[in-house]
């Protein structure tokens, strides 16, 4: 008799090729194949209450269609022709050289296009790479604000570049097409401060969270969420730690938004099992009334391996509520492992996105139910260990 796990694995093998076929064909990698995880690593979850994520495509400036780290802003009525605006970066096979903030618009949230008149990327650098874009809207000035992180690296001869600092920049636009020059607003030297996320709760009440991963980054044995405050979203305080604990997991990336209909902050947090690395993240929910003290839940919103598209990890994701305070859309990103057609080349992570229409009450019920998480592998594949050690994830 087939168990739920056997059925999940059968569905996994059947669906993953469909989910990623457009990307594979686009890249001309028809000989590549998915590396299917072992039984214990496939999460068997019932998504009937919360709906099913659906793969979506983005036309990236590098033509890879591989994307990561979305950040969305939603409007009740279209703003300059688009109801939804979203920033992300290309990340083809984990190549940070083209990891630069890019912007898209949508009327439905299901299909996305580059706004007319805009050329991606919005920003570039020659000192390292740009990652972790965060999009926010300021109603006082009627402008979009794009925050992004510059990773400054030091090169020593022919060796691998070393991390030196993380600088957060801000660029602004009153139409989503024309953007101001980036201005540095925070600077963290000597340790990894990743995934800045910004929320405006009210006039003169801006908050920025990020993850401090110490000097080891992706392989850190402990991380903490930090919080800065601002009255204008430009000049920020020194960071303080918040009260956040996801038992057995370490936060790595997050998206925080204030939901005025609920009077609550919601956060989607990509976190990895303690003792592993950020390559093994799943996606969790946290809620807070003040942005400092967070309530976490026993089960993930989406564990890695739950759907074929995100067999290796579920990474930084973003969301938007409808005005009724219950209907919401989640835009997910994550990766699956692809073995090259040329067996002399190591496997790679293939990154992609999905859209998920669900409801707040169903999602809360989903995460409150204790479920057995997928068992971590005895050891991650060597190429994942290399990516983690080199901090080659966004």
């Amino acid at each position: 008799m087939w168990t739920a796990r056997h059925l999940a694995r059968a569905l996994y093998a059947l669906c993953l090729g469909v989910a990623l076929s457009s990307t594979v064909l686009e890249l001309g990698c028809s000989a590549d194949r998915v590396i299917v995880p072992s039984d214990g690593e496939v999460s068997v979850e019932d998504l009937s209450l919360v709906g099913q994520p659906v793969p979506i495509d983005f036309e990236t400036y590098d033509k890879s269609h591989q994307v990561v780290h979305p950040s969305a802003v939603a409007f009740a009525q279209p703003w300059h022709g688009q109801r939804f605006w979203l920033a992300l970066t290309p990340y083809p096979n984990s190549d940070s050289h083209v990891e630069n903030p890019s912007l898209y618009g949508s009327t439905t949230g299901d299909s996305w296009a580059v706004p007319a008149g805009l050329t991606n990327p919005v920003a570039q650098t020659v000192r390292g790479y740009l990652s972790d874009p965060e999009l926010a809207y300021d109603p006082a000035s009627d402008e979009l604000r794009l925050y992004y992180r510059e990773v400054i690296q030091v090169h020593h001869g022919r060796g691998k570049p070393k991390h030196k600092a993380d600088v957060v920049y801000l660029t602004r636009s009153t139409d989503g097409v024309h953007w101001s020059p980036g201005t540095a607003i925070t600077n963290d030297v000597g340790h990894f401060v990743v995934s800045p996320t910004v929320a405006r709760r009210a006039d003169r009440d801006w908050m920025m969270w990020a993850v401090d991963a110490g000097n080891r980054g992706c392989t850190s044995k402990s991380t903490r969420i930090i919080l800065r405050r601002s009255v204008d979203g430009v000049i920020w305080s020194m960071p303080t730690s918040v009260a956040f604990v996801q038992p057995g997991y370490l936060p790595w990336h997050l998206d925080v938004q204030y939901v005025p209909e609920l009077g609550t902050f919601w956060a989607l947090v990509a976190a990895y099992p303690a003792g592993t690395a950020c390559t093994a993240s799943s996606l969790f929910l946290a809620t807070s009334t003040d942005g400092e003290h967070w309530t976490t839940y026993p089960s993930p919103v989406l564990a890695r391996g739950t759907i074929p598209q995100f067999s290796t990890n579920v990474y930084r994701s973003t969301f938007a509520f409808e005005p009724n305070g219950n209907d919401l859309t989640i835009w997910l990103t994550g990766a699956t492992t692809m073995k090259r057609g040329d067996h002399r080349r190591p496997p790679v992570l293939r990154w992609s996105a999905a859209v998920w229409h669900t409801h707040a009450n169903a999602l809360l019920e989903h995460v409150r139910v204790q479920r057995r998480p997928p068992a971590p592998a005895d050891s991650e594949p060597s190429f994942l260990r290399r990516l983690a050690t080199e901090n080659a994830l966004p």
Side-chain angles (χ1 to χ4, degrees):
M1 177 180 292
W2 277 34
T3 65
R5 177 169 293 135
H6 291 127
L7 290 171
R9 283 182 55 75
L11 182 63
Y12 191 109
L14 174 65
C15 293
L16 186 55
V18 176
L20 297 177
S21 59
S22 61
T23 302
V24 170
L25 291 174
E26 189 76 31
L27 293 174
C29 301
S30 57
D32 293 359
R33 65 179 180 83
V34 176
I35 297 179
V36 180
S38 61
D39 281 346
E41 296 175 80
V42 177
S43 176
V44 181
E45 284 190 38
D46 180 6
L47 297 180
S48 58
L49 286 176
V50 290
Q52 190 76 22
V54 177
I56 54 174
D57 182 60
F58 289 88
E59 180 72 42
T60 56
Y61 75 90
D62 68 315
K63 308 303 181 184
S64 70
H65 295 251
Q66 295 190 52
V67 295
V68 75
H69 207 288
S71 177
V73 168
F75 294 88
Q77 300 297 326
W79 185 82
H80 291 275
Q82 310 291 343
R83 183 159 177 249
F84 301 94
W85 292 79
L86 185 142
L88 47 67
T89 66
Y91 201 47
N93 300 343
S94 305
D95 181 1
S96 63
H97 290 91
V98 294
E99 191 180 358
N100 295 304
S102 302
L103 199 70
Y104 298 84
S106 175
T107 57
T108 64
D110 295 327
S111 59
W112 296 85
V114 179
L118 176 71
T119 300
N120 282 325
V122 175
Q124 292 180 282
T125 183
V126 296
R127 297 195 297 175
Y129 60 92
L130 303 181
S131 68
D132 300 4
E134 169 71 5
L135 201 60
Y137 174 69
D138 179 21
S141 57
D142 189 28
E143 67 181 14
L144 280 178
R145 295 184 173 187
L146 176 61
Y147 301 83
Y148 57 91
R149 163 183 172 246
E150 181 184 28
V151 181
I152 299 178
Q153 299 174 317
V154 177
H155 296 260
H156 297 287
R158 298 182 180 179
K160 295 288 185 180
K162 300 295 184 181
H163 176 271
K164 179 181 180 182
D166 292 319
V167 182
V168 174
Y169 284 81
L170 168 63
T171 177
R172 314 185 205 190
S173 175
T174 56
D175 61 6
V177 174
H178 303 92
W179 291 86
S180 67
T183 302
I185 57 172
T186 70
N187 186 5
D188 293 282
V189 179
H191 56 131
F192 291 84
V193 177
V194 300
S195 192
T197 178
V198 175
R200 177 190 180 276
R201 180 165 49 177
D203 189 35
R204 298 181 62 81
D205 187 9
W206 291 76
M207 305 169 82
M208 178 196 292
W209 300 261
V211 174
D212 185 342
N215 58 14
R216 295 186 61 179
C218 183
T219 59
S220 181
K221 301 304 180 186
S222 66
T223 65
R224 64 186 180 117
I225 296 176
I226 58 175
L227 170 64
R228 288 179 165 98
R229 295 180 180 274
S230 174
V231 298
D232 59 6
V234 180
I235 300 173
W236 293 89
S237 69
M238 295 298 293
T240 59
S241 296
V242 307
F244 176 95
V245 177
Q246 185 68 54
Y249 286 81
L250 301 178
W252 173 244
H253 277 41
L254 75 165
D255 178 41
V256 180
Q257 297 186 33
Y258 181 67
V259 187
E261 295 82 3
L262 305 179
T264 305
F265 293 97
W266 275 44
L268 290 178
V269 183
Y272 60 90
T276 63
C278 72
T279 49
S281 59
S282 294
L283 191 68
F284 292 84
L285 174 68
T287 56
S288 173
T289 57
D290 61 7
E292 295 185 60
H293 303 86
W294 290 89
T295 298
T296 57
Y297 302 88
S299 291
V301 172
L302 193 69
R304 70 169 186 158
T306 299
I307 62 174
Q309 190 177 355
F310 305 134
S311 59
T312 301
N313 62 48
V314 188
Y315 215 70
R316 210 270 199 173
S317 302
T318 190
F319 63 99
F321 272 85
E322 292 295 331
N324 63 18
N326 187 42
D327 298 341
L328 77 153
T329 303
I330 300 173
W331 294 274
L332 303 154
T333 58
T336 192
T337 301
M338 303 294 291
K339 187 172 181 59
R340 308 289 189 99
D342 181 352
H343 298 293
R344 294 168 296 182
R345 303 170 68 192
V348 294
L349 291 182
R350 187 68 51 82
W351 298 85
S352 61
V355 62
W356 192 1
H357 297 289
T358 187
H359 308 282
N361 53 9
L363 196 63
L364 283 167
E365 182 178 349
H366 175 70
V367 298
R368 284 173 175 146
V369 175
Q370 180 73 55
R371 292 184 299 276
R372 184 182 63 80
D378 292 337
S379 64
E380 292 281 13
S382 59
F383 87 98
L384 287 180
R385 294 197 302 273
R386 175 181 55 80
L387 287 177
T389 301
E390 296 176 357
N391 280 286
L393 287 195

